[in-house]
Amino acid sequence: MIYTCYEMVRDCRADLPEGWTHFISHYVPVIRKTLAHYAPQRAGDSALLDHILLAIRQPGSFILQSTEQPEERWFVAQVRQLIAAELVAPAPEIPIGLETLTAALEPFTMTEKQAAWFETMHYSPAEAGPMLRVSPETVEKVRDRAAELIRGKVDSWRRTLLAENGGALGREAAAAAAQDCLPTKAFLDVVDGRTAWPNREMMDRHLRACWHCVDHFCRMLEVVHLLRGSQPLSEAESQPFRALLGVAAPRRTGWKRLIGGA
Ligand SMILES: [Zn+2]
């Protein structure tokens, strides 16, 4: 029997151990991977991981508040946003806002904007290329062009400007939702190859003018990347996290009891 993410969230909301046990075994590895990317200097910091898990577990967290009917990729995207909010980056020395990006990257297509945006999310061309289904060399070229265009719009500049402003730009983009912005499902349909051409064209047009959706789309591609090859924790590996979150050991289900004789 498949235990879906929807059922997990439902059980977590009801504070049932099944929900939290599944959350720990399946999503601690994803959270680790996310932290390794966004806080590489704190890679071995178990207190940071514990802090994130406790933030998700607390009654006021998004899991218990959201009214969406979550599928796994939506869920991981929420977890990623919670991590981003917890990892407060130092204020950039040379702040740039979305307005500057809009002016500088006006000639860019949707994919070119995404290639540039992934730099704000600290992904190298080698990582971003496969996510966008273009070559790393293409990403590199787009970024070089983006850098020159941005340079023409700011008073002081350096090559690392986008990455340094990543946290602030991500927050600005997330808050900039407009009436006609696309829902998560629209991006997942593209990822799953379910989007018909007219919709794809409409999306291209919208994203050329909307950083909120460029960011949203990039984050959904990131989620697919974060989930790829992720292996659940064993019961023994999960144990310290169950203790941390105060989750009772899982009861054995019927057939396991029969087979295991426990
Ligand atoms: Zn939008």
Side-chain angles (χ1 to χ4, degrees):
M1 198 186 69
I2 294 167
Y3 183 71
T4 64
C5 186
Y6 171 73
E7 291 165 315
M8 175 192 82
V9 171
R10 180 200 61 199
D11 289 348
C12 287
R13 281 179 186 149
D15 207 16
L16 296 173
E18 290 86 339
W20 290 108
T21 300
H22 186 87
F23 164 74
I24 288 166
S25 66
H26 284 73
Y27 298 107
V28 165
V30 180
I31 293 168
R32 275 190 179 137
K33 191 169 168 181
T34 311
L35 288 174
H37 177 73
Y38 285 103
Q41 71 287 5
R42 295 174 71 182
D45 184 350
S46 65
L48 175 61
L49 175 61
D50 290 357
H51 173 76
I52 299 290
L53 294 174
L54 287 166
I56 294 170
R57 171 84 158 106
Q58 50 163 261
S61 95
F62 67 90
I63 291 181
L64 304 157
Q65 284 179 338
S66 173
T67 53
E68 287 220 28
Q69 301 250 315
E71 70 130 286
E72 181 173 56
R73 293 173 295 186
W74 173 87
F75 177 77
V76 172
Q78 301 303 304
V79 171
R80 185 268 185 205
Q81 287 301 68
L82 182 140
I83 292 172
E86 293 290 335
L87 296 172
V88 186
E93 246 175 83
I94 308 171
I96 51 165
L98 288 181
E99 216 179 308
T100 307
L101 279 196
T102 302
L105 306 185
E106 204 274 324
F108 272 21
T109 63
M110 174 177 90
T111 307
E112 288 169 338
K113 286 194 164 158
Q114 287 178 287
W117 192 257
F118 267 124
E119 191 168 347
T120 73
M121 293 165 68
H122 300 187
Y123 285 98
S124 68
E127 292 164 323
M131 289 194 246
L132 291 166
R133 296 186 192 156
V134 298
S135 72
E137 292 73 26
T138 301
V139 175
E140 191 108 55
K141 256 187 247 161
V142 170
R143 287 185 180 181
D144 288 345
R145 216 176 122 216
E148 285 311 310
L149 288 168
I150 292 166
R151 191 174 196 166
K153 296 284 178 193
V154 293
D155 298 329
S156 56
W157 179 90
R158 54 179 179 235
R159 185 64 185 84
T160 47
L161 214 50
L162 280 184
E164 286 166 34
N165 279 273
L169 286 170
R171 274 191 298 280
E172 195 184 343
Q179 198 102 61
D180 56 343
C181 279
L182 298 155
T184 302
K185 186 179 178 303
F187 302 119
L188 292 179
D189 281 348
V190 173
V191 171
D192 295 335
R194 282 194 309 252
T195 307
W197 183 244
N199 286 339
R200 183 70 209 237
E201 231 176 357
M202 198 188 64
M203 178 179 276
D204 273 50
R205 253 199 321 275
H206 180 82
L207 265 70
R208 283 188 77 144
C210 181
W211 289 112
H212 176 77
C213 285
V214 168
D215 175 58
H216 195 171
F217 198 177
C218 285
R219 287 190 290 101
M220 295 323 293
L221 295 173
E222 176 187 36
V223 162
V224 175
H225 161 81
L226 289 171
L227 283 167
R228 185 165 296 137
S230 184
Q231 293 294 321
L233 299 182
S234 68
E235 224 174 287
E237 288 165 331
S238 295
Q239 208 288 319
F241 300 109
R242 280 205 305 272
L244 173 78
L245 300 185
V247 178
R251 278 172 311 187
R252 294 190 160 208
T253 53
W255 66 270
K256 271 188 192 157
R257 220 174 14 241
L258 281 177
I259 294 170

